[in-house]
Amino acid sequence: MVGVPKSTGCQICRRRKIKCDESWPHCVNCQKNGKACPGPPARHTFKDLGPSLTDKTNASRNTLGGLLSPPYYDSLDACPSMIEEVHRCKQLTQLTEKRSNNGAVFRKFRICDNRSRPSRKSEQESSYHNPYDSPHSSQHGSPPRPRSPAILRRPSPSFYQVLSQALFDALTASGLQPGHHMSAFGPFMFKIPERVGHNAALDAAVACLVHAHSSLVHRKGATEIANPRLYLSAVQALQTCLEDPQEGMSSNTLCASVLLGLVEAMAGPRVGNRYLAHVGGAGRLLELQGPDKCQDPFAREILMFNRGGIIITSIYERKPCFLTAPEWKEFAFDKTGLSYDDTIHSELLNRMADFPALLRELKDLDNMAEESCRSTRLSRLDSSLEFHGNPSDPPYEGLEGIYSTLRCSSGYVSTLVPSNQSYPVGNPFIVSPSRSALFQKVQHLRSSLHYIANHMNAKLTNGTSAVEAPSKDFSSPIPTSYYFTNWRVAVAYNCFWSLIILCNKVMMKLTDPFDPHILYLQSECRAVSYQICKSWEDAWACKPFGAFHTGLSFVLAYEWCTPNVQAWILDDLNTLLDEQGVETFRWSDETIRSMSGRLAGEGPDMVFTPSQRAA
């Protein structure tokens, strides 16, 4: 379309086809005839150049699929060239500019592809558009007039500018529910927009994250939250950057891995979930980079945010957490400049990071006990066959004591023996100095938690961290609920209670099942589980981000609750999945008990393959 200046007379004069003197606000003709002069007309009209340009622009818009619809960019899978094509089709170019004697300015524009440039003649005409600004104007004695400023045309934003703005809008959007604010993940999120356009993995991860957040806000299903095209592109870009010697060790690639973990967390539990794989991959990158690389403020903030995920991944893998190494410990848990709450939280994570190494030792001891018991059973079988002489004869017939070895879910072996005989060789509670040493380590870790407990319980009692009030849900079996000051404080308390349960479960595995101290440990687990249940309503009010911790704390509390409370936990956890739109996963009694056992060191190790870490 081209802007074409038309007659500058008023509408009445143009209708009468007489010359208008344009003496605004009322021309002379209208004054003479007693008419209400309508004033100057619109300066420009627009004429369509044809269907070619319009069709081209509409086709590009349809291809983008509503990419530029505020406040979120719903389909960031469009390629950069497509977006740039749209902006090229909407280029605004000034062709000429003229001034009338009364000071009015007439400009001619063209909206077209930026490959179409105005002719040289048009450029020359626009160079001396004002007769008063002409080089020859001084010959007539007219004072020179200042040249009017040219129209400032805003350049068309690039794909990376659009992507950066989309993330910034998601971080600063108002009117969202408390559990939808991505800014709560940490201050490093606000530093990501300025890094867009410098790393392919980060760009793809940001596009995936913005799409996931928009889908979550608009309550779309989990299959739409993890957009297959965007997610696959992000994973491939991450893999490519990891193979690059320079980009693979950059903070931007590390951030891309963390953002993909957040995308997985937003989608909720489901088949093929790779949340822990991304968290473990980010932890591996940090470990390879070393603490010196984390002196960068951006990388340090990512480390602080990712500490909990790194520790949980180490618990599942049952291997020592690298954050406990001397070169990492002081740096990762440095409390300089932290507030009181952040200091307690950092101290809690410091204690929690020691737990995975204890699980590794427990696993090694269980493997040794299993091998010892297997050898003992084989030797007993050989001796019984040799004594009776005939393998078909019942070996234990007529004996007063019957030895039956029972494999317990906790990994230890208990042997039923006659009261007048001693324990057989291989019993872990009689000859096991290594188990005794491990028991002392777990007991020391549990004792160190009491120092943190004194501070956390005091803030819970005086209402500084939370307020205890009657439950709003009358069908809840828990009469009161905790309402925390913010959901990060709620996460800290739930991690603290979860660690107490984990320590108690390991101590019970290392203790003789007839030891009366087990009753005390079980009682404490029940009390702590009750505290966890009181945090449900606060988590529900801050869903989904403020309820991410329920997958750890409520899973561990489930075992120690009464049947009616267990049914309530199952129902609430599945209701939370419904709110997230998760359809391919359901919590069940078997699922929770299996996950709780893995967190306490039971069952096979969870190993993430390199493909999973990259995925």
Side-chain angles (χ1 to χ4, degrees):
M1 295 184 295
V2 179
V4 183
K6 301 187 67 176
S7 172
T8 57
C10 71
Q11 185 178 5
I12 296 178
C13 291
R14 285 188 286 116
R15 187 185 305 118
R16 297 177 62 191
K17 297 183 180 180
I18 61 177
K19 185 176 181 180
C20 180
D21 65 344
E22 302 177 9
S23 56
W24 314 124
H26 303 286
C27 67
V28 174
N29 293 332
C30 290
Q31 291 178 5
K32 289 181 179 180
N33 297 301
K35 302 290 184 180
C37 184
R43 295 299 185 188
H44 299 85
T45 59
F46 294 90
K47 182 172 63 178
D48 196 347
L49 290 180
S52 59
L53 184 62
T54 305
D55 295 342
K56 184 177 181 181
T57 305
N58 293 337
S60 299
R61 289 177 179 174
N62 294 335
T63 305
L64 288 177
L67 172 65
L68 304 178
S69 57
Y72 299 103
Y73 300 88
D74 296 330
S75 181
L76 286 169
D77 52 347
C79 61
S81 60
M82 228 176 256
I83 299 175
E84 293 174 0
E85 183 66 21
V86 173
H87 294 300
R88 282 200 297 267
C89 294
K90 297 163 60 177
Q91 183 73 26
L92 181 65
T93 305
Q94 179 178 333
L95 300 179
T96 61
E97 178 176 306
K98 295 182 181 180
R99 290 178 177 270
S100 65
N101 295 335
N102 62 353
V105 181
F106 305 92
R107 296 186 177 93
K108 187 176 182 180
F109 298 91
R110 172 169 294 171
I111 302 176
C112 62
D113 194 326
N114 64 358
R115 289 173 295 186
S116 302
R117 297 182 56 84
S119 64
R120 184 174 298 275
K121 180 180 178 181
S122 300
E123 293 179 354
Q124 292 176 352
E125 290 178 357
S126 61
S127 299
Y128 297 99
H129 53 273
N130 190 351
Y132 294 101
D133 295 337
S134 165
H136 307 287
S137 61
S138 60
Q139 298 176 2
H140 305 285
S142 301
R145 286 189 179 184
R147 183 185 294 271
S148 62
I151 294 179
L152 298 178
R153 297 186 297 275
R154 185 175 183 179
S156 301
S158 66
F159 168 76
Y160 304 110
Q161 290 173 323
V162 172
L163 185 60
S164 178
Q165 184 63 42
L167 177 60
F168 182 79
D169 291 342
L171 290 171
T172 58
S174 59
L176 298 179
Q177 296 180 4
H180 287 157
H181 290 284
M182 283 201 300
S183 58
F185 290 132
F188 79 96
M189 295 292 295
F190 289 95
K191 299 181 180 179
I192 298 177
E194 64 189 29
R195 293 173 173 264
V196 172
H198 301 282
N199 182 279
L202 181 60
D203 298 340
V206 168
C208 197
L209 178 68
V210 171
H211 180 274
H213 184 253
S214 176
S215 300
L216 188 66
V217 170
H218 294 99
R219 299 178 64 84
K220 295 183 179 180
T223 54
E224 297 185 41
I225 290 178
N227 184 289
R229 288 186 58 192
L230 291 178
Y231 187 79
L232 180 60
S233 299
V235 171
Q236 292 175 343
L238 178 60
Q239 182 65 44
T240 302
C241 287
L242 289 174
E243 294 172 355
D244 185 271
Q246 183 175 0
E247 289 295 335
M249 302 297 290
S250 68
S251 300
N252 290 333
T253 302
L254 171 65
C255 183
S257 180
V258 173
L259 294 187
L260 288 182
L262 293 180
V263 171
E264 290 281 358
M266 289 182 187
R270 67 190 189 284
V271 178
N273 189 294
R274 293 290 181 268
Y275 169 71
L276 289 178
H278 287 301
V279 174
R284 181 59 178 162
L285 284 176
L286 285 167
E287 185 178 5
L288 293 176
Q289 291 176 2
D292 294 336
K293 184 73 174 180
C294 291
Q295 297 296 335
D296 172 29
F298 182 67
R300 177 180 173 82
E301 290 177 3
I302 293 179
L303 169 64
M304 296 304 171
F305 166 74
N306 219 38
R307 289 177 300 179
I310 293 173
I311 296 171
I312 294 298
T313 305
S314 299
I315 290 177
Y316 275 113
E317 294 181 329
R318 295 170 200 167
K319 68 176 186 180
C321 182
F322 73 91
L323 296 178
T324 59
E327 63 272 16
W328 279 100
K329 199 174 186 68
E330 294 183 2
F331 178 78
F333 304 106
D334 183 23
K335 297 182 283 292
T336 304
L338 298 181
S339 64
Y340 182 82
D341 291 335
D342 291 338
T343 299
I344 296 297
H345 188 205
S346 182
E347 189 67 26
L348 172 62
L349 291 177
N350 191 358
R351 300 288 190 272
M352 198 170 183
D354 294 329
F355 186 74
L358 302 178
L359 288 183
R360 180 74 267 173
E361 292 188 40
L362 177 63
K363 186 67 177 179
D364 293 339
L365 289 176
D366 288 343
N367 292 336
M368 293 173 57
E370 182 179 357
E371 185 65 28
S372 175
C373 292
R374 185 182 296 109
S375 301
T376 303
R377 289 197 299 270
L378 290 176
S379 62
R380 290 175 184 164
L381 181 59
D382 293 340
S383 61
S384 63
L385 292 177
E386 182 179 355
F387 176 79
H388 291 282
N390 188 353
S392 62
D393 295 336
Y396 297 110
E397 186 177 358
L399 297 180
E400 295 181 0
I402 298 179
Y403 297 90
S404 61
T405 305
L406 305 176
R407 170 67 54 189
C408 301
S409 60
S410 58
Y412 66 79
V413 176
S414 65
T415 306
L416 302 180
V417 298
S419 59
N420 58 349
Q421 297 190 21
S422 60
Y423 284 96
V425 177
N427 187 279
F429 305 111
I430 300 301
V431 184
S432 185
S434 55
R435 279 186 175 264
S436 177
L438 178 58
F439 182 88
Q440 295 296 328
K441 292 180 182 179
V442 181
Q443 189 177 38
H444 176 73
L445 173 60
R446 183 176 174 278
S447 300
S448 65
L449 293 176
H450 286 286
Y451 168 77
I452 303 176
N454 292 334
H455 296 276
M456 299 187 73
N457 290 336
K459 293 177 68 65
L460 201 62
T461 303
N462 59 25
T464 305
S465 296
V467 176
E468 185 173 3
S471 297
K472 298 178 181 179
D473 184 7
F474 297 102
S475 62
S476 172
I478 310 300
T480 61
S481 296
Y482 287 131
Y483 299 94
F484 295 90
T485 55
N486 59 75
W487 68 267
R488 295 188 66 86
V489 175
V491 171
Y493 274 89
N494 277 269
C495 288
F496 167 70
W497 292 325
S498 299
L499 185 55
I500 291 179
I501 294 178
L502 288 174
C503 288
N504 287 357
K505 291 187 69 172
V506 173
M507 291 179 66
M508 284 186 281
K509 293 177 183 179
L510 297 170
T511 305
D512 189 329
F514 301 103
D515 192 319
H517 289 89
I518 287 185
L519 297 177
Y520 171 78
L521 296 176
Q522 293 175 344
S523 176
E524 187 176 46
C525 287
R526 286 190 291 268
V528 170
S529 298
Y530 183 72
Q531 296 287 87
I532 292 175
C533 291
K534 291 164 70 173
S535 68
W536 171 256
E537 289 194 6
D538 182 85
W540 179 260
C542 302
K543 63 182 184 296
F545 299 163
F548 282 168
H549 64 84
T550 56
L552 171 67
S553 57
F554 280 83
V555 163
L556 291 173
Y558 180 85
E559 177 183 355
W560 308 100
C561 296
T562 58
N564 65 318
V565 177
Q566 289 179 345
W568 171 74
I569 290 177
L570 273 177
D571 182 65
D572 283 349
L573 289 179
N574 285 320
T575 304
L576 184 61
L577 293 181
D578 294 335
E579 286 292 320
Q580 287 186 258
V582 179
E583 299 177 354
T584 60
F585 178 84
R586 291 286 100 179
W587 290 104
S588 64
D589 180 83
E590 181 182 0
T591 302
I592 292 182
R593 291 185 184 276
S594 174
M595 186 177 295
S596 177
R598 286 193 172 221
L599 288 168
E602 301 171 8
D605 298 342
M606 182 178 290
V607 179
F608 299 107
T609 63
S611 61
Q612 286 177 316
R613 288 193 182 279

